[in-house]
Amino acid sequence: MSLLVAMCIFSLSMSISPGPVNMITLSTGANYGFRQAIPFVTGATTGFTLLLLLIGLGVVELVLQYPRVLQSLSCAGAALIFYMGFKIARSRAELHTEKVSRPGFFQGFLLQWLNPKAWISSVAGVTAFVSTGSYAILALFCFQYYLICFFSVASWALAGDRVALLLNNELRIKIFNRVMGAGLMSVALYLVVTLIATAA
């Protein structure tokens, strides 16, 4: 029972902490509402859980043998995070209009595979909780992580939806989008600088 509690605490702390996925979820909830953010939340949760499962089944060995694979994924992830941040920062501040460019399932799924935080969380979680060949523990870990991750990321969408009550004019929406977009672009630039520093 203590192993399950430890896995749940790890999953919650990694899922609910701020990161690129949660920042995009917050922005999506604020701009489009809670329900419209759920496809992105589902995609991000599914993408992460599949990554966790594959790392638990041994993909991590491939990554450790070829560190350039992880570096390439990190570069692609930084580019995607920067692009999404740019789109959020440049989005139009229109009230009560139909917005069609919201992130969906595919963007959430792909972002997790290109998100260095997701890779680090998966490797750390598998290393800490899953013994070699222990498929039952891996299945339990993935199942509980999926549930906790979904509700954690969804809580950011709900927070964004509630923040939207304060965004009752175009200026406030514009400022919110600029701040969220700039934050994501800053994260992307930080990832690039970190990659350059570790490669040197």
Side-chain angles (χ1 to χ4, degrees):
M1 188 63 169
S2 58
L3 178 64
L4 180 60
V5 171
M7 288 191 298
C8 288
I9 292 171
F10 175 84
S11 303
L12 180 62
S13 63
M14 296 307 288
S15 299
I16 207 162
S17 60
V21 170
N22 288 337
M23 289 177 71
I24 292 170
T25 306
L26 178 70
S27 178
T28 304
N31 282 285
Y32 305 102
F34 177 74
R35 288 185 181 179
Q36 295 297 316
I38 292 300
F40 181 81
V41 171
T42 306
T45 305
T46 304
F48 178 83
T49 307
L50 182 58
L51 176 64
L52 179 66
L53 176 64
L54 291 177
I55 285 178
L57 293 174
V59 174
V60 68
E61 298 299 327
L62 175 68
V63 174
L64 293 177
Q65 287 176 8
Y66 303 100
R68 291 203 182 270
V69 172
L70 190 55
Q71 289 176 348
S72 298
L73 287 169
S74 295
C75 287
L80 180 62
I81 291 166
F82 189 89
Y83 171 73
M84 294 186 86
F86 180 77
K87 284 193 70 167
I88 289 169
R90 298 272 299 154
S91 61
R92 299 175 68 179
E94 295 179 348
L95 295 169
H96 308 298
T97 59
E98 187 65 27
K99 305 179 185 78
V100 295
S101 62
R102 66 180 169 82
F105 181 92
F106 178 74
Q107 288 87 354
F109 185 94
L110 180 62
L111 185 59
Q112 289 290 35
W113 280 74
L114 300 175
N115 182 3
K117 179 187 171 187
W119 281 83
I120 292 166
S121 299
S122 297
V123 171
V126 167
T127 303
F129 301 114
V130 181
S131 305
T132 305
S134 180
Y135 298 118
I137 296 295
L138 177 62
L140 176 63
F141 189 41
C142 290
F143 176 73
Q144 62 86 30
Y145 211 124
Y146 185 92
L147 295 177
I148 290 173
C149 184
F150 181 87
F151 287 109
S152 296
V153 178
S155 70
W156 284 84
L158 184 61
D161 187 55
R162 296 300 171 248
V163 164
L165 297 174
L166 302 173
L167 305 177
N168 54 7
N169 67 52
E170 291 186 7
L171 177 61
R172 289 180 183 176
I173 294 171
K174 183 182 284 188
I175 291 170
F176 178 81
N177 287 341
R178 298 292 189 273
V179 170
M180 295 304 297
L184 279 171
M185 290 187 283
S186 299
V187 168
L189 293 174
Y190 171 78
L191 291 173
V192 170
V193 169
T194 304
L195 282 169
I196 293 170
T198 55

